[in-house]
Amino acid sequence: MNKYFQKFDFFQNKKIVFTIVSIFAIQLLVLIFIYGENWSIEVGLGLPLTYSYFLTDNYPYELIFKESDSHIQVFSKIPLIISFFFDDFNTKNLMLIGWGLFSASIYLLYLILKRTDEKLIWILIPLSAFVFNPIQYYTVLWAFALFVYAIPFFTTILMAYFLNKKNLGKKSFFIILIMGIISSFSNLAGIIVLISGLLPLIYKKEINKLVYWILGIIFVCTSYILIWSEKISEKILFSSENQIEMFLKLIALPYGVKFDILYSVVGIGVIILVIFSFIYIKKYQKIEILMPWIQMAFVGFFVSGII
């Protein structure tokens, strides 16, 4: 009996992991078809499109580049414009593209896990449960917000996979850099995604690539500063007296605890766990193998403070 269970390890069986992940993905796909918002929310949240603009043939295209609550969302808005002209503004189809980005992200996570330790691919099960979770309505069942969050999410994992490859060609490198810039102009969090690319480049001491990457960061930051213009002091200074409490709450937000005080406790717990994780990595593991996870953790930690 013991030998049988040794041969059949539930969590290491790729077919079972693939089946469970597929169930989560298909569940969300069905919900998109049934409940996906086909554009019922009007301007007021910095959104780029309404029927009224196009029906009067007077759409102010400068809105594409306009700041929205500190975000510059050029590449989050463009798919909606394309949809209007070529797909009769069927935003459910846009959600399907977003679903594809999430699915591609899970596949990239599989490749990263395989490179780290193939025995760990069972981790895809809880990860896909989070990614394809329909409770996060704004992320998965509303077309505009889906692109706002899906592009940086996908780019984070894409960068973590490719920038940590042993031999990354010049063409692939520049494609990843361009994706980082696109992410930065989809959501403010994309800047953190772009900055995270410095970690593997610094660790591998790839000076030439590092220079190009820094130039990309300078370009993005300069663009934000110019668009923020006179409001820059409001963007970079913390004015809230409860900033630390909010930061802890945002870190703990994925865990969905019931009381606000518990968010602070969980947030502190997450910070402690991160610190001990880095101590463990430095002492017992090769940083090279775990760099993709360090890079993604960097993004998750700092993005929680700016959303």
Side-chain angles (χ1 to χ4, degrees):
M1 183 65 71
N2 289 335
K3 290 182 179 179
Y4 173 79
F5 281 109
Q6 286 176 0
K7 289 181 180 179
F8 184 81
D9 190 326
F10 179 86
F11 290 117
Q12 293 177 25
N13 189 295
K14 291 182 182 179
K15 291 181 180 179
I16 293 177
V17 172
F18 175 78
T19 300
I20 296 174
V21 170
S22 298
I23 289 172
F24 287 127
I26 293 170
Q27 165 208 238
L28 180 59
L29 191 61
V30 171
L31 290 173
I32 286 174
F33 277 110
I34 298 174
Y35 298 110
E37 277 287 349
N38 196 12
W39 200 255
S40 62
I41 301 176
E42 291 291 323
V43 167
L45 298 173
L47 305 183
L49 297 170
T50 58
Y51 280 112
S52 58
Y53 279 129
F54 282 106
L55 292 176
T56 57
D57 196 26
N58 187 32
Y59 181 71
Y61 289 96
E62 63 273 12
L63 285 180
I64 298 173
F65 303 96
K66 186 179 179 181
E67 171 215 340
S68 173
D69 292 331
S70 302
H71 302 280
I72 301 173
Q73 299 166 326
V74 178
F75 293 99
S76 301
K77 298 172 181 179
I78 288 176
L80 298 177
I81 294 175
I82 294 173
S83 174
F84 184 88
F85 285 110
F86 297 101
D87 192 30
D88 197 28
F89 216 3
N90 187 341
T91 53
K92 285 194 177 184
N93 288 338
L94 290 173
M95 291 178 217
L96 296 178
I97 297 173
W99 177 88
L101 285 176
F102 283 137
S103 299
S105 301
I106 290 294
Y107 178 70
L108 287 170
L109 281 172
Y110 163 72
L111 295 178
I112 293 172
L113 283 166
K114 191 176 179 182
R115 184 193 292 165
T116 306
D117 186 346
E118 197 164 3
K119 294 179 180 179
L120 296 175
I121 64 168
W122 65 269
I123 294 176
L124 286 175
I125 295 173
L127 288 176
S128 61
F130 275 115
V131 171
F132 296 113
N133 185 355
I135 293 176
Q136 49 181 343
Y137 165 80
Y138 284 106
T139 308
V140 297
L141 294 175
W142 178 20
F144 176 63
L146 190 149
F147 277 96
V148 169
Y149 295 107
I151 293 175
F153 179 78
F154 171 73
T155 305
T156 298
I157 302 171
L158 185 76
M159 284 171 46
Y161 175 71
F162 281 99
L163 291 182
N164 288 284
K165 292 184 72 173
K166 289 184 178 180
N167 297 308
L168 180 64
K170 287 184 179 179
K171 289 183 180 179
S172 298
F173 169 77
F174 282 110
I175 289 172
I176 301 303
L177 177 56
I178 290 169
M179 282 300 301
I181 294 172
I182 289 174
S183 175
S184 299
F185 292 119
S186 299
N187 187 312
L188 184 61
I191 297 178
I192 304 297
V193 176
L194 185 63
I195 292 173
S196 75
L198 294 173
L199 300 179
L201 296 176
I202 292 172
Y203 179 76
K204 294 192 291 184
K205 299 178 181 178
E206 298 187 84
I207 305 301
N208 291 334
K209 292 177 181 176
L210 190 59
V211 170
Y212 284 115
W213 204 271
I214 291 172
L215 289 174
I217 293 173
I218 292 172
F219 166 72
V220 169
C221 291
T222 301
S223 300
Y224 265 86
I225 289 170
L226 291 174
I227 292 176
W228 282 346
S229 62
E230 296 177 358
K231 299 179 182 178
I232 187 168
S233 61
E234 299 174 13
K235 310 299 180 184
I236 62 176
L237 296 178
F238 296 116
S239 58
S240 173
E241 297 178 359
N242 300 318
Q243 193 66 39
I244 296 177
E245 183 181 343
M246 288 299 298
F247 178 69
L248 293 173
K249 184 174 181 177
L250 285 166
I251 292 175
L253 204 57
Y255 300 97
V257 295
K258 189 172 182 180
F259 302 105
D260 285 347
I261 185 64
L262 293 179
Y263 278 113
S264 298
V265 174
V266 173
I268 293 171
V270 170
I271 293 174
I272 293 172
L273 182 60
V274 168
I275 293 171
F276 276 99
S277 296
F278 278 107
I279 293 172
Y280 175 83
I281 289 168
K282 187 175 180 181
K283 188 172 182 180
Y284 297 106
Q285 300 290 337
K286 292 182 178 179
I287 294 180
E288 181 181 357
I289 296 175
L290 297 175
M291 181 56 73
W293 303 101
I294 295 173
Q295 190 176 340
M296 288 186 285
F298 173 91
V299 173
F301 185 81
F302 285 99
V303 164
S304 68
I306 67 172
I307 293 177

